[in-house]
Amino acid sequence: MLIKSATKFIENSHSAAAMIACLENQHGSSTTSSSSASAADPAASSLEPYATDFGGMVRAVPTAVIRPSTVDEVAAAIRFAASNGLTVAARGNGHSIHGQASAAGGLVLDMRGLSGPIQLVAGEYADVPAGALWEEVLEWAAAEHGLSPASWTDYLGLTVGGTLSNGGVSGQAFRHGPQVANVGLLEVVTGDGERHLCSPQSEDADLFFSVLGGLGQFGVITRAWIRLLPAPDMVKWIRVVYNDFACYSSDAESLVSRAGPNSFDYVEGFAFVNSHDPVNGFGSVPLDQARHSFDPTHVPPNSGPLLYCLEVALHYVDAVDAVDQRTAEMLQRLRYIRGLEFYAHVPYIDFLTRVKRAEVEARANGSWHTPHPWLNILVSASDIVDFDREIFRKILRHGIGGPMLVYPMLRRKWDERMSVALPEGEIFYLVALLRFALPQPVGPTVEEMLAENRAVVDRCRSAGFDFKLYIPHYRDQTQWRAHFGEKGWRRFADRKARYDPAGILAPGQLIFSPET
Ligand code: FAD
């Protein structure tokens, strides 16, 4: 049976080619659909990890999982799927929220099989297999070469192919652009099983830009050249607190829009609850709880339900005294609440892997494994003060049981030829509602959290905000058309027709249906 073969394959990850041959032999006579597989069937249960994702809200069982270790195996799997009417989803590390890396009844390509080795290209790029995690890229670049990718995500347990299919943003994006803007070349297998090497200068430049932020629709990325810079030794990591959102946002915008060689290397920030709540409140701010505590007597008595924490970082190699003096000067003109500043000097690697420590905590308290109804929105700077008034301070005034990130980026750092849909404004904010619910019956239900997300998006719409969902999720094509806008949708659909005419790639995004 097909599913039994799949199980055998997963156990023996060296035999992708054998698996494809096996599928080819068996297809037509003995394909077992996922829906008919019994839950007690051990073959079916080995597919189960590929049926869900970090979001934990969607279950979509594939017919088979292939763990390719070469581009040829990726191409063979796609060709097999194309000629047998199956859909194919590349799965990076499965950190999607709404089943975007799933293929119900189709093939899942476990891209972690394509994870090494990494090569240095002309001292300027890392040539990385798309299944590598960003933490693996960091380890290779910093430890072996004293180098570092220019642009990051906050959390590094994500694959290169996975974040390049969305955008990849963190506090460096204002300066270096998102991860999709730091790629020199891509190796891509399109929906017809053809391998392409593409770059901004190549004949296939359109494919290059299509795939970046392309939600897996146009091809499977098998390799990427990632731009490198010299890795700094140390980081001074600083948090300062505001009670006035307009001051917070205008300071944050001035930091990102006037960035020069002497500006911060990283700018982020978050909203938190003006209370002692251990998860949502004051305790979420200090960087080093052993050395600093949050003294609420500094918070002006007329402050609202939420406060705002601007988070910045400066790379350095010089003496600590010099960097302290420099940051003191840089902070001087900011309008945060004096007495509410927190800092730590940390090695660069510890700074970049900071969310790993939160992961360990969340695994220990169970909230890593509960569902994560996350919502990411890009909101124009022109609407962000209203967003604060209408959404943060009303709908989200009690917090969400996790970080509520809100920090600005610059549109000009994103290439318009890429597939990502952005708001119109030159400065826009990422608002990330990263909910970590404790196992029931402690926290709110998933339905309640999803309803709150809907209320947030509905309010953005009814208020006429200039916004786009980031890592978008919609249920049907009408909503996708609205997401891209008329012109953007035409380009997206044309690209789909060109690079995946049978419509078999990344079905879990629910954008296109396969041709029948
Ligand atoms: P998957 O979830 O496996 O796949 C995502 C999509 O990409 C799917 O459609 C899949 O088919 C497609 N895909 C995967 N690999 C390939 C490939 N090689 N070729 C073509 N298509 C492919 N995002 C940020 O921008 N910044 C952050 O700081 C950030 N932090 C996060 C922290 C956590 C804890 C989590 C869970 C997510 C975070 N994200 C962040 C979101 C993350 O970037 C996306 O969810 C990303 O898609 C996850 O990568 P993945 O490797 O798990 O991809």
Side-chain angles (χ1 to χ4, degrees):
M1 306 284 278
L2 187 63
I3 286 183
K4 291 232 168 71
S5 313
T7 313
K8 239 186 242 148
F9 169 73
I10 291 160
E11 285 161 2
N12 172 11
S13 64
H14 297 296
S15 54
M19 172 62 182
I20 296 158
C22 184
L23 289 172
E24 275 161 356
N25 290 339
Q26 298 188 10
H27 193 76
S29 56
S30 60
T31 300
T32 305
S33 83
S34 54
S35 51
S36 63
S38 129
D41 180 346
S45 71
S46 73
L47 297 174
E48 205 54 41
Y50 295 92
T52 59
D53 57 20
F54 184 79
M57 294 175 291
V58 170
R59 187 169 172 279
V61 186
T63 288
V65 175
I66 294 179
R67 192 176 163 93
S69 56
T70 64
V71 59
D72 289 342
E73 288 175 353
V74 171
I78 293 178
R79 278 198 299 272
F80 170 78
S83 53
N84 288 285
L86 291 170
T87 57
V88 190
R91 179 181 170 105
N93 209 20
H95 278 55
S96 289
I97 298 299
H98 294 282
Q100 288 96 329
S102 66
L107 297 187
V108 165
L109 305 185
D110 178 352
M111 299 303 288
R112 291 288 292 134
L114 272 168
S115 64
I118 302 172
Q119 311 277 350
L120 188 61
V121 183
E124 213 184 321
Y125 289 100
D127 181 354
V128 184
L133 301 179
W134 284 98
E135 63 196 22
E136 294 165 347
V137 181
L138 172 64
E139 198 182 319
W140 168 88
E144 293 184 28
H145 302 281
L147 296 169
S148 163
S151 185
W152 292 99
T153 45
D154 293 346
Y155 173 67
L156 308 189
L158 310 166
T159 65
V160 168
T163 69
L164 294 186
S165 299
N166 280 300
V169 296
S170 182
Q172 302 84 7
F174 77 94
R175 190 161 191 162
H176 299 293
Q179 290 180 324
V180 282
N182 285 276
V183 181
L185 176 140
L186 291 171
E187 181 183 66
V188 176
V189 180
T190 41
D192 54 4
E194 287 299 313
R195 169 181 170 271
H196 305 257
L197 280 180
C198 50
S199 71
Q201 298 78 28
S202 72
E203 260 182 36
D204 267 345
D206 181 67
L207 176 61
F208 176 84
F209 290 112
S210 301
V211 163
L212 293 170
L215 307 172
Q217 293 305 305
F218 311 116
V220 172
I221 305 168
T222 49
R223 270 190 314 135
W225 286 13
I226 305 298
R227 190 164 79 91
L228 299 170
L229 295 175
D233 294 341
M234 294 292 292
V235 170
K236 183 166 179 184
W237 182 10
I238 303 166
R239 287 180 174 174
V240 293
V241 173
Y242 294 72
N243 66 339
D244 181 323
F245 187 81
C247 286
Y248 168 83
S249 56
S250 90
D251 278 359
E253 286 172 34
S254 82
L255 289 178
V256 304
S257 51
R258 282 189 232 133
N262 290 323
S263 51
F264 287 108
D265 293 291
Y266 164 102
V267 176
E268 277 206 12
F270 57 93
F272 65 100
V273 179
N274 183 3
S275 84
H276 288 276
D277 178 315
V279 176
N280 299 295
F282 304 145
S284 60
V285 176
L287 291 166
D288 178 350
Q289 303 274 359
R291 286 182 49 233
H292 300 288
S293 61
F294 189 104
D295 179 358
T297 62
H298 290 295
V299 178
N302 59 347
S303 301
L306 294 182
L307 301 172
Y308 312 94
C309 178
L310 181 68
E311 179 176 73
V312 293
L314 190 68
H315 301 164
Y316 70 97
V317 280
D318 16 353
V320 169
D321 286 353
V323 81
D324 282 346
Q325 192 181 336
R326 229 179 115 201
T327 53
E329 285 161 15
M330 293 162 87
L331 291 176
Q332 211 168 16
R333 60 194 161 87
L334 302 183
R335 287 164 292 167
Y336 62 90
I337 304 170
R338 270 27 190 191
L340 290 179
E341 58 270 297
F342 305 86
Y343 69 89
H345 291 270
V346 291
Y348 180 60
I349 307 270
D350 291 7
F351 175 70
L352 288 179
T353 53
R354 61 200 179 278
V355 179
K356 190 84 186 168
R357 298 188 282 283
E359 175 183 354
V360 171
E361 231 171 83
R363 283 186 186 277
N365 69 25
S367 64
W368 193 259
H369 300 291
T370 54
H372 300 98
W374 286 10
L375 179 65
N376 289 281
I377 318 178
L378 303 173
V379 184
S380 242
S382 55
D383 290 320
I384 199 70
V385 171
D386 292 341
F387 184 100
D388 171 63
R389 191 187 57 247
E390 294 298 314
I391 293 174
F392 275 138
R393 283 196 277 147
K394 287 185 182 157
I395 303 175
L396 305 172
R397 58 187 286 131
H398 300 299
I400 55 164
M404 301 194 286
L405 305 184
V406 50
Y407 63 88
M409 288 177 268
L410 304 175
R411 199 176 205 280
R412 65 171 177 271
K413 299 283 178 179
W414 299 66
D415 193 309
E416 295 209 335
R417 291 169 291 179
M418 298 184 308
S419 292
V420 192
L422 299 174
E424 295 297 322
E426 165 52 21
I427 302 183
F428 59 82
Y429 282 73
L430 172 70
V431 175
L433 305 180
L434 310 180
R435 301 169 185 276
F436 280 91
L438 287 171
Q440 286 289 317
V442 183
T445 63
V446 175
E447 288 68 31
E448 285 165 339
M449 293 187 277
L450 287 170
E452 198 169 78
N453 287 348
R454 276 195 300 276
V456 168
V457 176
D458 287 350
R459 192 71 196 98
C460 286
R461 284 210 184 98
S462 63
F465 293 162
D466 173 25
F467 79 102
K468 295 285 178 194
L469 295 193
Y470 172 59
I471 315 181
H473 160 65
Y474 296 104
R475 288 182 192 286
D476 60 51
Q477 205 175 80
T478 314
Q479 294 173 322
W480 279 108
R481 280 170 178 258
H483 170 76
F484 285 106
E486 202 184 316
K487 198 166 146 222
W489 172 256
R490 227 179 299 126
R491 186 180 71 169
F492 200 83
D494 282 353
R495 287 174 162 180
K496 185 71 173 177
R498 199 169 324 140
Y499 301 121
D500 179 26
I504 59 172
L505 296 177
Q509 298 278 8
L510 307 181
I511 307 177
F512 299 98
S513 313
E515 296 283 306
T516 45

